[in-house]
Amino acid sequence: MAGPRPDAVSRLRSVGKHALLIAASLVMIYPLVWMLVSSLRPTDVIFRTPGLWLNELYLDNYIEGWTALARPFDWYIVNSGIVVVGAVVGNLLSCSLAAYAFARLKFRLRTLWFAIMLMTIMLPFHVVIVPQYIVFNTFGMVNTFLPLVLPKFLATDAFFVFLMVQFIRGIPRELDEAARIDGCGHFRIFFRIIIPLMVPALATAAIFTFIWTWSDFFTSLIYLTAPDMYTVPLALRSFLDATSGSNWGAMFAMSIVSLVPLFLVFLFGQKYLIQGIATTGGK
Amino acid sequence: MSALSELSKLRTGGHQTPEQRAARRKETSRDNRAGYAFLAPWLVGLFAFTIGPMLASLYLSFTDYNLIQSPNFTGFDNIVRMLGDDRLHQSLRVTFTYVLVGVPLQLIVALGIALLLNKGMRGLPFYRSVFYLPSMLGGSVAVSLLWRQIFGTDGLINQLLRALGVDATIGYVSHPDYALWTLILLHVWTFGSPMVIFLAGLRQIPTMYYEAAALDGANSRKIFLRVTLPLLSPIIFFNLVLQVIGAFQSFTQAFIVSGGSGGPSDSTLFYTLYLYERGFTNFQMGYASAMAWLLLVIIAAFTAINFFAAKYWVFYDD
């Protein structure tokens, strides 16, 4: 018989496929690994070593980077931490309340509000940023964390409202009906039945809020101009200015530090991330 | 599955008999107070942070507001100025190039990899994670800094080229012909999230379609064109709309890679970057508001075109 047997062909094809995918994986990941390795090299070595081999662990970049700005780097991490915690709490609370109303309650104009909510998901942020800035400026809130946190307590991230509506719709109505017959009001049903059952949706929303808020640059750039209020992205950016973009060792070291929380979320929250994107199309 | 299909459902669900309407109204009044109580934070946010500011910025578009003096109504002055603003035109060119090249390229890569990954293959979770990670980190300042180094004169790319014996001396991020392309490449590099959406969509195609096609003797090319592509078209459409809207608003990457200037010679002056410069560096709040509304109109137009064109190529199974 001429030619290889069919299973040999399919095995060959599978090997080829894996080879292609592994090559693609390497191309995708190489820059990140190279940044990690480079953060452990003196700056002059960074500029002539494209490889990943380390002769020694050069930790000076981390020490230098940590202390290069007006405050030690942990100061900016705490700032970012405050904003992230505020944003996560705000989003979970306000978005789940709105989602319960949309998913379970019948009230006047519900369809209209729901349609508006869906449209705000697609509204470009830049259309509202100028007047928002003017308002926060008038109330003296520029250079506080309020402009970054307050809107979250008012469910402005409509994407999460939608995500939670979808989830609550999947919870059997019999559960609320039973509680209602037992005399529970809406707030008791919401807190005692719906909230415990929607933990996966809350986790997804918390993880996305964490990622987006931690890496958010634009809002911080606009509202936080005092160096003491800088969040991590702003601190990284001021590195670039302070060293006129030449101290790559320290810059890479602090970049790695800034990516560690995201990477941890990625490792431990991957299930929720993948599900969240697959069901609603988040970033 | 998405906010998009939800919206189109709302549009079509309007037929009710008077009895049905009466029954609905009765049910509605029962939960009315509770409904608005639960909705209160969102409603306050909607008016305070979305509708209010939208109306305000519409008004400011017709003024010369500069944050210090009270706004003067200047009619269509801002629009006339926009027509003659060369940097605005340049920023539109840059942004359109970025969107029209970057988005399709990213989606093609995402779809290609998703097709390779389909159907319970070995190592799928590993590959998915590796491909997804960059899109999670891609919006951060850290990755933008990395990009600035990689495509610099002595950056990683040139180091690799020199190792291969090429005399590479171009600084890609500092060359007007290449800078934008490094950002497009960064966009393509973050193909992971549309890929995850494609993977979810591919899993929903019933295997019986493939079996039937195979029985009819269709080859893999035909199966892809006649089965996979049509059944996946709603997902492609969803990704396309989402990515176009997102790409128009890109900011961080261009800001960091160009050091905040949109340079060299405005070759990476994204629309949002120019808007930021006018509004928050020069405090021309009136002009920035007019620019913001133009952005909204452009994005809305693109979305509308997408929806209109969808009639001809998106196939709904139900």
Side-chain angles (χ1 to χ4, degrees), chain B residues 278-300:
Chain B
R278 284 299 185 129
F280 297 95
T281 314
N282 307 332
F283 293 105
Q284 298 173 352
M285 294 294 186
Y287 195 73
S289 295
M291 281 187 66
W293 270 89
L294 178 62
L295 179 68
L296 179 66
V297 169
I298 291 171
I299 293 179

mmCIF file of all heavy atoms in Angstrom, chain B residues 278-300:
data_model
loop_
_atom_site.group_PDB
_atom_site.id
_atom_site.type_symbol
_atom_site.label_atom_id
_atom_site.label_comp_id
_atom_site.label_asym_id
_atom_site.label_seq_id
_atom_site.Cartn_x
_atom_site.Cartn_y
_atom_site.Cartn_z
ATOM 1 N N ARG B 278 -5.710 68.709 24.415
ATOM 2 C CA ARG B 278 -6.526 69.918 24.339
ATOM 3 C C ARG B 278 -7.248 70.183 25.655
ATOM 4 O O ARG B 278 -7.289 71.298 26.141
ATOM 5 C CB ARG B 278 -7.557 69.785 23.209
ATOM 6 C CG ARG B 278 -6.977 69.957 21.831
ATOM 7 C CD ARG B 278 -6.383 71.340 21.699
ATOM 8 N NE ARG B 278 -5.908 71.588 20.350
ATOM 9 C CZ ARG B 278 -6.244 72.680 19.655
ATOM 10 N NH1 ARG B 278 -7.036 73.584 20.179
ATOM 11 N NH2 ARG B 278 -5.755 72.856 18.443
ATOM 12 N N GLY B 279 -7.830 69.129 26.228
ATOM 13 C CA GLY B 279 -8.672 69.313 27.406
ATOM 14 C C GLY B 279 -7.879 69.482 28.690
ATOM 15 O O GLY B 279 -8.168 70.367 29.499
ATOM 16 N N PHE B 280 -6.878 68.618 28.883
ATOM 17 C CA PHE B 280 -6.283 68.545 30.210
ATOM 18 C C PHE B 280 -4.858 69.067 30.264
ATOM 19 O O PHE B 280 -4.269 69.139 31.330
ATOM 20 C CB PHE B 280 -6.362 67.105 30.731
ATOM 21 C CG PHE B 280 -7.786 66.650 30.894
ATOM 22 C CD1 PHE B 280 -8.426 65.948 29.887
ATOM 23 C CD2 PHE B 280 -8.507 66.968 32.033
ATOM 24 C CE1 PHE B 280 -9.742 65.562 30.016
ATOM 25 C CE2 PHE B 280 -9.822 66.593 32.172
ATOM 26 C CZ PHE B 280 -10.452 65.874 31.164
ATOM 27 N N THR B 281 -4.272 69.413 29.121
ATOM 28 C CA THR B 281 -2.982 70.105 29.152
ATOM 29 C C THR B 281 -3.189 71.579 28.846
ATOM 30 O O THR B 281 -2.651 72.443 29.520
ATOM 31 C CB THR B 281 -2.004 69.480 28.128
ATOM 32 O OG1 THR B 281 -2.069 68.060 28.259
ATOM 33 C CG2 THR B 281 -0.585 69.925 28.408
ATOM 34 N N ASN B 282 -4.036 71.849 27.816
ATOM 35 C CA ASN B 282 -4.297 73.257 27.464
ATOM 36 C C ASN B 282 -5.585 73.792 28.075
ATOM 37 O O ASN B 282 -5.903 74.954 27.906
ATOM 38 C CB ASN B 282 -4.396 73.403 25.938
ATOM 39 C CG ASN B 282 -3.191 72.828 25.219
ATOM 40 O OD1 ASN B 282 -2.100 72.786 25.782
ATOM 41 N ND2 ASN B 282 -3.381 72.376 23.994
ATOM 42 N N PHE B 283 -6.319 72.931 28.753
ATOM 43 C CA PHE B 283 -7.596 73.288 29.387
ATOM 44 C C PHE B 283 -8.575 73.964 28.442
ATOM 45 O O PHE B 283 -9.312 74.862 28.831
ATOM 46 C CB PHE B 283 -7.353 74.123 30.647
ATOM 47 C CG PHE B 283 -6.677 73.318 31.716
ATOM 48 C CD1 PHE B 283 -5.329 73.494 31.996
ATOM 49 C CD2 PHE B 283 -7.377 72.347 32.408
ATOM 50 C CE1 PHE B 283 -4.704 72.718 32.954
ATOM 51 C CE2 PHE B 283 -6.758 71.566 33.375
ATOM 52 C CZ PHE B 283 -5.413 71.747 33.649
ATOM 53 N N GLN B 284 -8.582 73.537 27.176
ATOM 54 C CA GLN B 284 -9.607 74.011 26.244
ATOM 55 C C GLN B 284 -10.787 73.048 26.321
ATOM 56 O O GLN B 284 -10.983 72.203 25.457
ATOM 57 C CB GLN B 284 -9.041 74.060 24.823
ATOM 58 C CG GLN B 284 -7.876 75.028 24.702
ATOM 59 C CD GLN B 284 -7.216 74.952 23.342
ATOM 60 O OE1 GLN B 284 -7.520 74.081 22.538
ATOM 61 N NE2 GLN B 284 -6.307 75.872 23.101
ATOM 62 N N MET B 285 -11.563 73.210 27.416
ATOM 63 C CA MET B 285 -12.621 72.247 27.701
ATOM 64 C C MET B 285 -13.724 72.264 26.652
ATOM 65 O O MET B 285 -14.331 71.232 26.361
ATOM 66 C CB MET B 285 -13.211 72.519 29.081
ATOM 67 C CG MET B 285 -12.234 72.279 30.217
ATOM 68 S SD MET B 285 -11.826 70.536 30.325
ATOM 69 C CE MET B 285 -10.843 70.465 31.797
ATOM 70 N N GLY B 286 -13.989 73.440 26.093
ATOM 71 C CA GLY B 286 -15.018 73.538 25.053
ATOM 72 C C GLY B 286 -14.622 72.738 23.821
ATOM 73 O O GLY B 286 -15.394 71.914 23.322
ATOM 74 N N TYR B 287 -13.392 72.965 23.381
ATOM 75 C CA TYR B 287 -12.909 72.266 22.185
ATOM 76 C C TYR B 287 -12.836 70.763 22.434
ATOM 77 O O TYR B 287 -13.228 69.960 21.578
ATOM 78 C CB TYR B 287 -11.532 72.817 21.797
ATOM 79 C CG TYR B 287 -11.098 72.452 20.403
ATOM 80 C CD1 TYR B 287 -11.695 73.062 19.305
ATOM 81 C CD2 TYR B 287 -10.108 71.519 20.180
ATOM 82 C CE1 TYR B 287 -11.301 72.740 18.025
ATOM 83 C CE2 TYR B 287 -9.703 71.184 18.899
ATOM 84 C CZ TYR B 287 -10.307 71.799 17.818
ATOM 85 O OH TYR B 287 -9.919 71.467 16.544
ATOM 86 N N ALA B 288 -12.353 70.390 23.637
ATOM 87 C CA ALA B 288 -12.253 68.960 23.958
ATOM 88 C C ALA B 288 -13.639 68.317 23.967
ATOM 89 O O ALA B 288 -13.806 67.171 23.535
ATOM 90 C CB ALA B 288 -11.559 68.762 25.306
ATOM 91 N N SER B 289 -14.648 69.041 24.463
ATOM 92 C CA SER B 289 -16.010 68.495 24.470
ATOM 93 C C SER B 289 -16.502 68.262 23.046
ATOM 94 O O SER B 289 -17.113 67.230 22.750
ATOM 95 C CB SER B 289 -16.974 69.450 25.177
ATOM 96 O OG SER B 289 -16.623 69.561 26.525
ATOM 97 N N ALA B 290 -16.224 69.238 22.182
ATOM 98 C CA ALA B 290 -16.631 69.068 20.780
ATOM 99 C C ALA B 290 -15.935 67.853 20.178
ATOM 100 O O ALA B 290 -16.548 67.058 19.464
ATOM 101 C CB ALA B 290 -16.298 70.330 19.988
ATOM 102 N N MET B 291 -14.653 67.679 20.516
ATOM 103 C CA MET B 291 -13.921 66.514 20.020
ATOM 104 C C MET B 291 -14.520 65.219 20.558
ATOM 105 O O MET B 291 -14.618 64.215 19.835
ATOM 106 C CB MET B 291 -12.450 66.593 20.441
ATOM 107 C CG MET B 291 -11.611 67.516 19.594
ATOM 108 S SD MET B 291 -9.859 67.388 20.045
ATOM 109 C CE MET B 291 -9.487 65.695 19.554
ATOM 110 N N ALA B 292 -14.920 65.228 21.828
ATOM 111 C CA ALA B 292 -15.511 64.031 22.431
ATOM 112 C C ALA B 292 -16.790 63.651 21.702
ATOM 113 O O ALA B 292 -17.044 62.476 21.436
ATOM 114 C CB ALA B 292 -15.778 64.258 23.908
ATOM 115 N N TRP B 293 -17.590 64.661 21.359
ATOM 116 C CA TRP B 293 -18.836 64.358 20.641
ATOM 117 C C TRP B 293 -18.581 63.846 19.231
ATOM 118 O O TRP B 293 -19.280 62.975 18.743
ATOM 119 C CB TRP B 293 -19.777 65.576 20.637
ATOM 120 C CG TRP B 293 -20.661 65.506 21.827
ATOM 121 C CD1 TRP B 293 -20.404 66.024 23.062
ATOM 122 C CD2 TRP B 293 -21.905 64.805 21.939
ATOM 123 N NE1 TRP B 293 -21.410 65.696 23.932
ATOM 124 C CE2 TRP B 293 -22.352 64.954 23.273
ATOM 125 C CE3 TRP B 293 -22.688 64.064 21.061
ATOM 126 C CZ2 TRP B 293 -23.543 64.396 23.727
ATOM 127 C CZ3 TRP B 293 -23.879 63.502 21.510
ATOM 128 C CH2 TRP B 293 -24.284 63.678 22.836
ATOM 129 N N LEU B 294 -17.534 64.391 18.597
ATOM 130 C CA LEU B 294 -17.185 63.858 17.278
ATOM 131 C C LEU B 294 -16.792 62.380 17.398
ATOM 132 O O LEU B 294 -17.187 61.552 16.574
ATOM 133 C CB LEU B 294 -16.046 64.665 16.647
ATOM 134 C CG LEU B 294 -15.567 64.153 15.282
ATOM 135 C CD1 LEU B 294 -16.690 64.209 14.249
ATOM 136 C CD2 LEU B 294 -14.354 64.930 14.775
ATOM 137 N N LEU B 295 -16.049 62.063 18.471
ATOM 138 C CA LEU B 295 -15.662 60.657 18.686
ATOM 139 C C LEU B 295 -16.899 59.782 18.850
ATOM 140 O O LEU B 295 -16.984 58.690 18.271
ATOM 141 C CB LEU B 295 -14.759 60.539 19.923
ATOM 142 C CG LEU B 295 -14.293 59.119 20.275
ATOM 143 C CD1 LEU B 295 -13.339 58.583 19.221
ATOM 144 C CD2 LEU B 295 -13.608 59.089 21.644
ATOM 145 N N LEU B 296 -17.859 60.286 19.625
ATOM 146 C CA LEU B 296 -19.095 59.512 19.826
ATOM 147 C C LEU B 296 -19.799 59.280 18.493
ATOM 148 O O LEU B 296 -20.243 58.167 18.195
ATOM 149 C CB LEU B 296 -20.019 60.245 20.810
ATOM 150 C CG LEU B 296 -21.351 59.544 21.064
ATOM 151 C CD1 LEU B 296 -21.142 58.228 21.782
ATOM 152 C CD2 LEU B 296 -22.295 60.425 21.868
ATOM 153 N N VAL B 297 -19.872 60.342 17.686
ATOM 154 C CA VAL B 297 -20.546 60.228 16.389
ATOM 155 C C VAL B 297 -19.821 59.205 15.507
ATOM 156 O O VAL B 297 -20.445 58.359 14.871
ATOM 157 C CB VAL B 297 -20.621 61.612 15.690
ATOM 158 C CG1 VAL B 297 -21.074 61.465 14.248
ATOM 159 C CG2 VAL B 297 -21.572 62.524 16.455
ATOM 160 N N ILE B 298 -18.477 59.265 15.514
ATOM 161 C CA ILE B 298 -17.706 58.334 14.681
ATOM 162 C C ILE B 298 -17.931 56.893 15.136
ATOM 163 O O ILE B 298 -18.204 56.006 14.322
ATOM 164 C CB ILE B 298 -16.196 58.683 14.728
ATOM 165 C CG1 ILE B 298 -15.950 60.008 14.009
ATOM 166 C CG2 ILE B 298 -15.369 57.568 14.101
ATOM 167 C CD1 ILE B 298 -14.545 60.540 14.175
ATOM 168 N N ILE B 299 -17.849 56.674 16.458
ATOM 169 C CA ILE B 299 -18.030 55.315 16.968
ATOM 170 C C ILE B 299 -19.442 54.825 16.680
ATOM 171 O O ILE B 299 -19.645 53.687 16.259
ATOM 172 C CB ILE B 299 -17.705 55.244 18.476
ATOM 173 C CG1 ILE B 299 -16.210 55.487 18.702
ATOM 174 C CG2 ILE B 299 -18.110 53.886 19.057
ATOM 175 C CD1 ILE B 299 -15.781 55.453 20.143
ATOM 176 N N ALA B 300 -20.421 55.712 16.882
ATOM 177 C CA ALA B 300 -21.812 55.326 16.611
ATOM 178 C C ALA B 300 -21.983 54.986 15.134
ATOM 179 O O ALA B 300 -22.653 54.006 14.785
ATOM 180 C CB ALA B 300 -22.760 56.448 17.020
#
